[in-house]
Amino acid sequence: MSAFVVPVVTLGMLWVVPAGLGLVEGPRPPGWDRLRRAWPLLALPGAVSLWLPRSGTATALAACYALATLALALQAPARLLLTRSLRPGEVAVLTALVSPSVAGLALVAERAAYPLFGFELDLLALTVPHFHFAGFAAALVAGLLCAASGEGPLARAAALSVPAGTLLVLAGYFVDDWAELAGAVVLTAGMAAVAVLTLRERRALAAGRATRTLLGVSALVLVVTMALALWWALGEATGLPHPTLTWMAATHGLGNALGFAVCALLAHRRLRPAPPTDTGTGTDTGPARITPATPSGPVPAAPPGAGAGDRPAPLPRTELPA
């Protein structure tokens, strides 16, 4: 792998995936929390394999990571059984859970110097970061934005077109360059919608300057990186002059990884609500709620046998600002 790809993929394995999993909301299948907490350890063999020459050792380490990505992919059908939903935001999250398994398979083949499905090793090497950052991070961010915006029309379009574009690009590998160009167009449209949503709906809600900056950078970087993706795909399909794969890795790849994915995930981590407070019961009852209380503590219960008129009047409900 090139000097540009290895550090980026290492970052994707060890930080982007577990950080993104921590942002997923809704029902969590059995084993979800254990898998998320153990992910950096599970991904370590794959990260080490990137820095080794192609060999049996590198292949075995990559295979360990591929098994971890398969375990993550199996969380998608388990989550679907719990949610029973294929709403656009949920489709984006399910796509994110499955995407690293494609990267894991490509990594094993590339480390073994095996041209999987006839693909050149350089293309297999670039498939690994693509499905960590476009497949996982971009789809997850699209899903988060869709949920945060109430699933408006633009949010639904983003949450569907990012997974669809990623899948079409993958299909284009097996069909022809024109099919890959179609996938790049759909993916670019979805990422453009993500950029607009980020600037319009999320940046306006961020109170801190650092969070606003992270969101702004993540949105504006997409303008450049996705234009490069279209240029490359158009050139591959038509024969027009276009950047080389090495140049794309150094520009489009680094920009999407650091400028978009890392900045977006950092911003969304900062935008998360405060964790629930410990009630002392040892049970996680969900999001924190504001409970009416008197200055001296919670409202005491009425003594046995007391009528409704003997109970203390409840205090007005307090709502968090919308």
Side-chain angles (χ1 to χ4, degrees):
M1 287 192 181
S2 70
F4 297 112
V5 175
V6 172
V8 169
V9 177
T10 302
L11 178 65
M13 290 177 172
L14 297 178
W15 186 82
V16 169
V17 173
L21 293 179
L23 295 171
V24 175
E25 300 175 349
R28 296 181 175 184
W32 172 277
D33 290 324
R34 288 195 300 272
L35 182 62
R36 178 181 59 82
R37 288 193 295 266
W39 189 267
L41 182 62
L42 297 174
L44 187 59
V48 172
S49 75
L50 298 170
W51 299 87
L52 299 176
R54 295 186 181 111
S55 62
T57 301
T59 303
L61 292 172
C64 293
Y65 179 66
L67 290 175
T69 63
L70 178 60
L72 180 60
L74 291 175
Q75 292 285 318
R79 179 181 172 91
L80 182 59
L81 287 175
L82 294 175
T83 61
R84 299 184 181 276
S85 171
L86 286 176
R87 299 175 70 177
E90 190 63 25
V91 169
V93 171
L94 296 176
T95 301
L97 297 180
V98 173
S99 290
S101 63
V102 180
L105 179 61
L107 178 65
V108 173
E110 192 276 337
R111 294 288 81 192
Y114 176 71
L116 184 67
F117 303 123
F119 295 127
E120 297 178 359
L121 297 184
D122 287 344
L123 187 58
L124 289 173
L126 293 178
T127 300
V128 181
H130 179 76
F131 278 90
H132 277 92
F133 293 99
F136 176 81
L140 180 63
V141 170
L144 294 174
L145 286 167
C146 188
S149 64
E151 297 202 357
L154 185 62
R156 292 197 301 271
L160 291 176
S161 55
V162 170
T166 303
L167 182 61
L168 287 171
V169 169
L170 178 62
Y173 292 170
F174 298 92
V175 182
D176 57 25
D177 292 332
W178 286 101
E180 191 172 353
L181 174 60
V185 170
V186 175
L187 182 57
T188 299
M191 298 300 276
V194 167
V196 171
L197 287 168
T198 299
L199 290 174
R200 189 183 71 187
E201 298 183 29
R202 296 297 282 179
R203 196 178 185 192
L205 299 176
R209 178 179 299 176
T211 306
R212 291 198 304 271
T213 300
L214 288 168
L215 290 167
V217 169
S218 71
L220 297 176
V221 161
L222 289 177
V223 176
V224 177
T225 59
M226 296 314 297
L228 288 170
L230 276 180
W231 181 15
W232 183 83
L234 181 63
E236 286 285 299
T238 63
L240 294 173
H242 59 284
T244 63
L245 281 176
T246 301
W247 199 82
M248 285 293 291
T251 54
H252 168 83
L254 280 178
N256 269 352
L258 303 180
F260 167 67
V262 171
C263 289
L265 292 178
L266 285 172
H268 281 274
R269 280 163 63 93
R270 295 173 64 91
L271 286 169
R272 291 189 69 189
T277 55
D278 187 2
T279 60
T281 62
T283 303
D284 183 5
T285 58
R289 302 177 186 273
I290 296 178
T291 306
T294 61
S296 58
V299 177
D310 300 324
R311 294 175 185 169
L315 296 178
R317 182 181 177 187
T318 305
E319 298 281 357
L320 289 173

